[in-house]
Amino acid sequence: MPALPLLLLSLATALPLVATADDHEPPRPPLTRHQLDAHFARSAAAHPDLVTRFTLGTTLAGHPIEGLVLAAGEAPLVDRAGLLVIGGLDGRRPGDAAVVVALAERLLALPADELATALDGKALVLVPRVNHDGTGALLGEQGPVHERRGNSRSDDADRDGRRDEDAGNDLDGNGVITSMRIPDPEGEWVLDEHDPRALRKAKRSEGERGTHRVAIEGLDDDGDGEANEDGGSGVALDRNFAHGWPEHTAEGGAYPLSEPEAKALAVFLHAHPGLQGVLVVGDQDTLVSLPGEAKKVDRGGWRNAIRSPLDGLLKEDVATLKEFQRRFNDALKSEEEDAEADENEDDADDADSDINAEAEDHAEGDADDEDGAEDDDGEDEAESHAEGEGGSDDEDESDADSEDDDAKDSKDAGPKKHKVKAGSLVDGSFLAWAYHQEGRWPLAVKAWEPPTKFPKDKDAKSDDAKSDKGKKGGGKPGKQKKDEPTNDADSPVPAAVLAWLDDEREGNGFVPWTAFDHPEHGAVEIGGLRPGLLLDPPSDAADALADRLAPWLMDLLAALPSVAFESLKVERKADGLYTLSVALVNSGVLPTTSKLASETNTLRPVRVRLHLPDGAQRLQGPEQVLVDYLEGAGGRQEMRWVIAAPARTTLRLSADADTTPDVELEIELP
Amino acid sequence: MTRPLISLLLGALALAGLAAPASAQSDRTPAIDIAWNRFYNYDGIVALCERLASERPELCRLEYIGPSEEGRPMPLLTLNNESTGAEHTKSAMWIDGNIHGNEVQGGEAAVYAAWYLLERYGELPAVTELVDERVFYILPMVNPDGRQFWFTDPNTPHSSRSGKRPTDNDNDGLFDEDGPDDLDGDGELVTMRKQVEPGTGSYRLHPDDPRIMQRVPNDKRKAWGADWVLLGQEGFDNDGDGRVNEDGPGGYDMNRNWPAGWMPNYIQYGAGDWPFSYNETAAIGEFIAARPNIAAVQSFHNAGGMILRGPGSPTRSDFYPGTDRQVYDAIANDGEGILPFYRNMVIHADLYTVHGGFVNWTGEGLGIISFTNELWNSEQIYSFGAEGNPFEQGERSYEELQHLFDDLVMLGETYVDWHEVEHPDYGTVEVGGFRKMQGRTPPAFMIEEMIHRNAVFCLFHAAQMPKVSVESVQVDDGPGGSKIVTVSFHNERWIPTRTAAANNKNIGRPDIVTFAGSGITVVAGGPDADRFDLADFDAVEHEPQRLLLDGGVPGHGRTRLRWIVRGSGDFTVTLDTQKAGTVVASGSL
Ligand SMILES: [Zn+2]
């Protein structure tokens, strides 16, 4: 076993809190399956009373999808309330698994009795990586290192009767499939004057012509005139779910849950109704930008039921998500206070986590609806980084217009911050399904966005740093303010990212452009960013996110719904005749279920029953009450019975549900 | 559009279809003698399938898929003449029935289709052609659990539609705990009625026939002294929740469980947890998806006399482009003739909205021309001759017609007269009404006609699967010593080798045409060649020796391809389709 797992352990125990941006720890490489396995084994061995390993399912290629259950006490998992945390749905984001692993480490580093109390009757289920097949491509387990978003499903993306026959090729033999920049007056890119390794969009409106186009490193293997058009991206697991499923697309798969990984997740969540929230660590976010309210709820029929899929959340559920968000931001604020003590005030605005800044905007309550409207494009924006011009993803092509709009939007919004835009539940995603069809709380966090700000002092600084790298045109501080390096959202090699790599990664992650004589294109350069670099959260971002998630999840465990019988009143009306009234009250912070779950019967309501012994009789009142939705912090429903029974009879009231602990109340009649 | 003349062969098929039962009922002794004037339970259908496979092993193979939720293996017949080619080299038709457990006659119709093909093979040329050139996958019971339960247990014409996976329909954490109950133990599930104070009911008894309940308009209840209420199916409140029969056996609809416009249960009742969530649907989905040569689908239901196609929802009309609709209509219009009392209809427009239906999946998900037939039309039960149908004219209620039919045609066989029963929740009630065999299924003496006509409608549909041959191979001299090769493939049936739906939605792959010749170099090539102008064709930029035909070979049409080549010797041009096998043209320079 290499030394890495030991390092992980010691980081977790010695540095339970923030690793600040200035530490410049070398990033840890992505966790391999073996390292994850070792982590599970260590955790289970170190905390036998709290940790159980479990296998969610098997990937298409046959790798087990494993995780941990954190729970205290004897109850089986199916009877517990709790949350499901998953990462690694997208093969290009192996760092998401590191968030979940770091989260587990932080939780397990808490005092054992604190943890045991929090997890009594409850559970946290953690699955760091679902898409082992796709991640394997980035880890170099499937030939040259390359990006694979989906699983190992083969496909005939170009519909020519041949499957996966035209993927990228490692032309320069460096073991990595990167990019080609091809001199082309019809191309849309030019070399960025601030860093000619980088590319920016030609300013065509100002009369500037492009000089290059960019493609994935490769050949037209099947001779159809298209390069890398059937490269095998597999089925994108996070588009293989039934809400808004993208039918007849390569990414969506043959039908909802056609992929064993997605099916395993669905079967597991469906079978565990007590797991009332899902937290997805990936490319969606619902905590920084709250998902919007459904614009129109189509109701009808004699029950006034919902009749078509919602394009947003029910308003009660948005309100509850706000509470999730408030608590998430509280966790952030205490962290920021710590951070500010260390950091220069001037730099605070430039803090590494732009997500944080954005979160504050939203905490102030602005523009929630706008975020809902902007929706789907957050992830497209991220994808386009990786795919560049060479990408053949249908989705990107079809959404090209909206991407342009986004680019405009973010310009209008000002250049200061990169905006995290993923404010709604993406069609076909696990999260959208979990809310719309299973009624669970849709929680999602994105660990990281690639830096988009070229440092102000960069030109001067970088001149010393890498004068040997052929960088020209350094230090023009006067001009720079006016002409800051652009950061085209879809640039395959943004200048700001290169600057960040230089500053914090000693340039690692960039493969220098190297001349190559291409059989189809002639003289090209091969190089650019390593696969996954613009998508995959680096390890310090993973650690920082885990720092926030750990206290927040502990807080949520305490906030789960909890019902009790209150305001019991028993009155003797006559000999052997009693009235009985009682209220079922939710003392938890969260409602007993989401409003959607109660409206659509996707989770079972709380069932209250009055149990009478022989000799007692119910004269009036229901044998059973199904309590659909009790809001948090005191939501209550009253109920009343008339009973004929001898004095001193003992009755029993019970309330049972999947999302709250069952309760019973024994009542002795006077 | 104008319909081309039905080819001689199809004429023969239609004639054979009409003539066959007459001869079978006269002096022709069946080789495989099966009674078609009755229904069969699960074991009975299995036995018929086993018999067909054992009597005609060279043409018919029996396998079992599933099993069902309750563990019943699902018999599936494959009819293919191996001596004329393997399954995947031929167009195939899928036929199933009985996805709704109570809609039993689809099972007999499906088995009959297999039987008829085997029984008349070698005797009727149209049948022989179908058996030799086509493949049939026939699954008589999509829902064997619901079928068996319908036969063995007290049921109504409408109950036991669901499969039998226990389901919590009333969301109380209990499964199937409050279904109907046969209160008097007579083996029948009929209706409950109760007499109440005059003016407080919603029904009164028909003045001429007290078996019949007449609904009283709300504002006439006092005036007419309405003194009866209807209490629904026989049953009581088994789980004490104040509701009766609200969580019966199963409680879902497998014909809403397919991945085409699928919607969750709260939008589409009975949809299941997700597409293919039931054992039966999953097994069928796997079987069909693995056979891209399936080019026609027929699903049998009851009742109402309908030939239905998708879409099930108006939002999915784009899955039925015009050229496909022409094919649907070409088949269904003749279907109306083959099936008197049946109408050619579109599911969402003429019936109701269905999300996630089976033929929606095969039509919209797989791009296959697919029909659902609703077998049996109750207009057939009683005729008023020249007066026309009094029910249609509003002069008589359907219930009155049913009584005439039961009294005069069935001699009382299908009716349970009202009689008193003690009810645990309602006190003394009366139970009575029509038995499960009346309403959605024909009487025994009409079964054979119904299933024959529906089976031959399938055969007509099967005959419309693409049948492609080489129409011409032409070699002309080209400029500079080159040769121009023109090959035309002709499809003599209605269904194209690739439907417009498949083409538009990127379903399956295009047809591939490959030019090969060892001494020959292909200089250029492409489709859409003009018949006379040798220079007129759509030359492709890449791979001219391997052309992709997105639209395949159209129905009753041709595709003409052209290559400019150099060299000499023999060549072949191979058309490779998913739905119609491979056709090879050859020639020489
Ligand atoms: Zn039906």
Side-chain angles (χ1 to χ4, degrees), chain B residues 99-100 102-103 161 253 255 300-303 352 372 374 440:
Chain B
I99 191 171
H100 294 136
N102 60 322
E103 300 178 3
R161 176 181 173 94
D253 187 338
N255 202 32
F300 289 134
H301 288 237
N302 79 24
Y352 42 64
T372 288
E374 299 286 354
R440 301 178 68 117

Side-chain angles (χ1 to χ4, degrees), chain B residues 244-375:
Chain B
V244 178
N245 302 346
E246 84 287 352
D247 191 355
Y252 54 90
D253 187 338
M254 280 196 277
N255 202 32
R256 307 292 184 268
N257 189 233
W258 306 86
W262 183 90
M263 293 284 161
N265 197 55
Y266 62 89
I267 293 169
Q268 172 61 67
Y269 166 79
D273 297 330
W274 43 73
F276 297 136
S277 65
Y278 298 105
N279 288 357
E280 296 88 343
T281 54
I284 293 165
E286 193 181 336
F287 186 95
I288 292 179
R291 285 162 181 78
N293 57 320
I294 295 177
V297 163
Q298 174 68 50
S299 182
F300 289 134
H301 288 237
N302 79 24
M306 304 172 197
I307 302 166
L308 293 164
R309 68 159 172 91
S313 153
T315 59
R316 296 177 67 84
S317 298
D318 62 323
F319 285 88
Y320 297 84
T323 53
D324 285 355
R325 291 202 305 273
Q326 288 178 354
V327 176
Y328 276 107
D329 284 341
I331 297 170
N333 288 342
D334 274 324
E336 287 183 333
I338 296 169
L339 291 156
F341 296 101
Y342 287 53
R343 281 167 300 149
N344 173 19
M345 295 164 71
V346 174
I347 294 170
H348 82 86
D350 303 321
L351 189 59
Y352 42 64
T353 296
V354 171
H355 302 292
F358 172 69
V359 294
N360 305 106
W361 177 57
T362 56
E364 298 153 26
L366 303 177
I368 303 169
I369 301 295
S370 306
F371 288 104
T372 288
N373 281 17
E374 299 286 354
L375 275 60

Side-chain angles (χ1 to χ4, degrees), chain A residues 440-488:
Chain A
R440 317 302 170 93
W441 300 113
L443 310 171
V445 284
K446 188 171 188 177
W448 180 75
E449 295 281 356
T452 57
K453 287 190 66 180
F454 196 82
K456 287 189 177 109
D457 56 346
K458 180 64 191 168
D459 283 344
K461 204 196 230 174
S462 58
D463 255 4
D464 322 336
K466 22 175 236 321
S467 49
D468 57 331
K469 288 187 184 174
K471 189 172 179 298
K472 65 172 183 184
K476 286 177 196 153
K479 196 185 169 198
Q480 195 177 320
K481 267 203 179 98
K482 245 186 141 182
D483 183 25
E484 282 202 346
T486 54
N487 284 287
D488 300 293

Side-chain angles (χ1 to χ4, degrees), chain B residues 223-259:
Chain B
W224 295 10
D227 57 347
W228 286 88
V229 290
L230 280 179
L231 296 169
Q233 276 172 36
E234 263 182 89
F236 59 92
D237 179 11
N238 306 71
D239 59 352
D241 67 350
R243 292 188 288 166
V244 178
N245 302 346
E246 84 287 352
D247 191 355
Y252 54 90
D253 187 338
M254 280 196 277
N255 202 32
R256 307 292 184 268
N257 189 233
W258 306 86

Side-chain angles (χ1 to χ4, degrees), chain B residues 39-54:
Chain B
F39 293 129
Y40 296 85
N41 65 13
Y42 168 79
D43 289 334
I45 294 283
V46 168
L48 293 183
C49 293
E50 285 181 345
R51 195 162 152 212
L52 293 179
S54 66

Side-chain angles (χ1 to χ4, degrees), chain A residues 323-541:
Chain A
E323 180 60 20
F324 280 106
Q325 183 191 53
R326 192 183 67 75
R327 286 161 182 266
F328 186 66
N329 289 338
D330 282 353
L332 162 72
K333 271 176 191 140
S334 51
E335 178 202 329
E336 274 193 339
E337 279 156 22
D338 295 344
E340 272 175 32
D342 301 338
E343 271 186 43
N344 184 323
E345 291 263 340
D346 291 342
D347 290 347
D349 195 41
D350 291 341
D352 59 328
S353 176
D354 289 315
I355 294 176
N356 297 353
E358 189 72 15
E360 292 207 313
D361 286 353
H362 283 273
E364 285 155 23
D366 67 326
D368 289 339
D369 288 343
E370 270 171 41
D371 283 317
E374 279 161 7
D375 74 37
D376 338 292
D377 298 309
E379 59 110 33
D380 292 341
E381 194 180 332
E383 275 169 14
S384 55
H385 282 302
E387 277 152 13
E389 282 195 351
S392 62
D393 196 321
D394 287 342
E395 183 188 320
D396 281 348
E397 280 167 28
S398 62
D399 284 352
D401 289 346
S402 56
E403 267 175 41
D404 287 346
D405 290 343
D406 282 352
K408 249 176 267 150
D409 284 355
S410 46
K411 252 173 245 155
D412 293 345
K416 299 187 303 295
K417 288 175 209 155
H418 179 79
K419 206 170 175 200
V420 177
K421 287 189 301 183
S424 85
L425 311 183
V426 176
D427 278 351
S429 69
F430 173 64
L431 201 66
W433 173 80
Y435 174 73
H436 287 286
Q437 297 189 5
E438 295 287 315
R440 317 302 170 93
W441 300 113
L443 310 171
V445 284
K446 188 171 188 177
W448 180 75
E449 295 281 356
T452 57
K453 287 190 66 180
F454 196 82
K456 287 189 177 109
D457 56 346
K458 180 64 191 168
D459 283 344
K461 204 196 230 174
S462 58
D463 255 4
D464 322 336
K466 22 175 236 321
S467 49
D468 57 331
K469 288 187 184 174
K471 189 172 179 298
K472 65 172 183 184
K476 286 177 196 153
K479 196 185 169 198
Q480 195 177 320
K481 267 203 179 98
K482 245 186 141 182
D483 183 25
E484 282 202 346
T486 54
N487 284 287
D488 300 293
D490 53 353
S491 169
V493 187
V497 170
L498 291 183
W500 167 71
L501 289 177
D502 291 343
D503 279 358
E504 302 196 9
R505 298 286 188 270
E506 295 169 338
N508 286 321
F510 173 74
V511 178
W513 296 108
T514 311
F516 184 81
D517 186 18
H518 193 281
E520 294 153 15
H521 309 303
V524 304
E525 293 169 288
I526 294 177
L529 298 178
R530 278 183 71 88
L533 191 114
L534 289 174
L535 295 173
D536 192 32
S539 52
D540 54 352

